[in-house]
Amino acid sequence: MINIIGKYFTLEQLKAKVFKDVAIVPIVEGFLTEEYTIILSALYEASPNVQKYMPGLDMSSPEKVIETIHMQYIGTKLGYKFSLAIIIENKPGGLIFVNTPDYNDIAANFSVWTIDFCLFVPFEGYGLMSSLLPYILSMLKDDFHIKELFAIVDSHNDKCLALLPKFYFEEWNDPEGLTFDDPNTGNTAKVFCCPLAEISFNNNQ
């Protein structure tokens, strides 16, 4: 990949945001400590849905955590994607991945902005993503000037399928019939689109 940093975002735009005991922290150089490496591997092993619905994310050992986080950072440094960690009481509780149209063009022949996210099992069921999504969507609209944001979701991922429509995402079908199939499960994914440019988040900040 050629370096396109600055086309969609700069490293200076990636800033942490703190909400009392929860923070959203960009995964950049220096993010990964030895403690985080061990915690992320343990949380991944305890979260079967993360393993099932995010098959490209491998944190099955501390070594795999280091490799995965490094690849995320390289993608950020080159300007193709950026990743955020959800930090809960100083521990990594979830991850957010935002991919640019250039990255998706290479990875899936789908030149749009996409978002993916997960929470690890100990932090599920508390409405955390419902609380954070309005801020995240507002940030992507206002700071990164994204007009449309897509999410590609496994057709069996019931929790995510129920969550997205609550936050302006509507199911979308490609006019040319493009579909997304998971080679690991054989499931066809559903595609959702959020028209960020048409939405005001003033009351959610």
Side-chain angles (χ1 to χ4, degrees):
M1 291 183 179
I2 62 171
N3 193 326
I4 61 168
I5 191 70
K7 179 177 179 179
Y8 295 108
F9 64 89
T10 65
L11 296 180
E12 289 72 25
Q13 285 180 274
L14 303 178
K15 299 177 182 178
K17 176 71 174 180
V18 179
F19 308 88
K20 295 184 179 180
D21 294 333
V22 178
I24 299 175
V25 177
I27 296 177
V28 293
E29 191 170 20
F31 163 80
L32 194 62
T33 64
E34 183 177 354
E35 180 184 16
Y36 277 11
T37 301
I38 296 170
I39 292 173
L40 281 167
S41 179
L43 290 172
Y44 177 85
E45 286 297 310
S47 304
N49 280 345
V50 174
Q51 299 173 40
K52 182 177 181 180
Y53 296 125
M54 302 188 76
L57 181 70
D58 187 353
M59 294 185 166
S60 55
S61 68
E63 293 75 20
K64 287 293 185 181
V65 171
I66 293 171
E67 181 181 326
T68 295
I69 295 300
H70 177 71
M71 292 305 298
Q72 293 298 324
Y73 170 64
I74 291 298
T76 299
K77 190 174 182 180
L78 292 177
Y80 286 87
K81 60 197 308 187
F82 60 89
S83 306
L84 308 166
I86 301 170
I87 306 298
I88 305 167
E89 297 182 346
N90 297 318
K91 296 180 176 63
L95 300 167
I96 302 164
F97 304 103
V98 180
N99 299 323
T100 70
D102 276 44
Y103 177 85
N104 284 319
D105 186 47
I106 296 170
N109 192 30
F110 193 45
S111 301
V112 298
W113 283 91
T114 59
I115 188 171
D116 204 353
F117 51 82
C118 66
L119 284 175
F120 298 111
V121 161
F123 308 103
E124 291 181 335
Y126 298 99
L128 187 57
M129 284 310 305
S130 293
S131 298
L132 292 177
L133 265 178
Y135 166 76
I136 294 167
L137 296 177
S138 176
M139 175 191 70
L140 295 178
K141 174 188 176 181
D142 296 336
D143 297 348
F144 298 90
H145 308 293
I146 299 173
K147 296 181 178 180
E148 286 187 322
L149 181 66
F150 288 76
I152 303 171
V153 184
D154 188 290
S155 57
H156 292 192
N157 189 347
D158 294 334
K159 289 183 179 179
C160 193
L161 292 174
L163 178 66
L164 288 177
K166 297 178 182 178
F167 296 95
Y168 317 106
F169 283 87
E170 296 183 355
E171 192 167 352
W172 179 89
N173 294 302
D174 182 62
E176 297 182 2
L178 177 67
T179 60
F180 298 89
D181 301 312
D182 185 338
N184 298 287
T185 64
N187 297 338
T188 297
K190 293 187 176 183
V191 181
F192 291 82
C193 178
C194 177
L196 291 179
E198 301 175 11
I199 300 167
S200 172
F201 296 95
N202 291 335
N203 294 328
N204 296 315
Q205 297 186 47

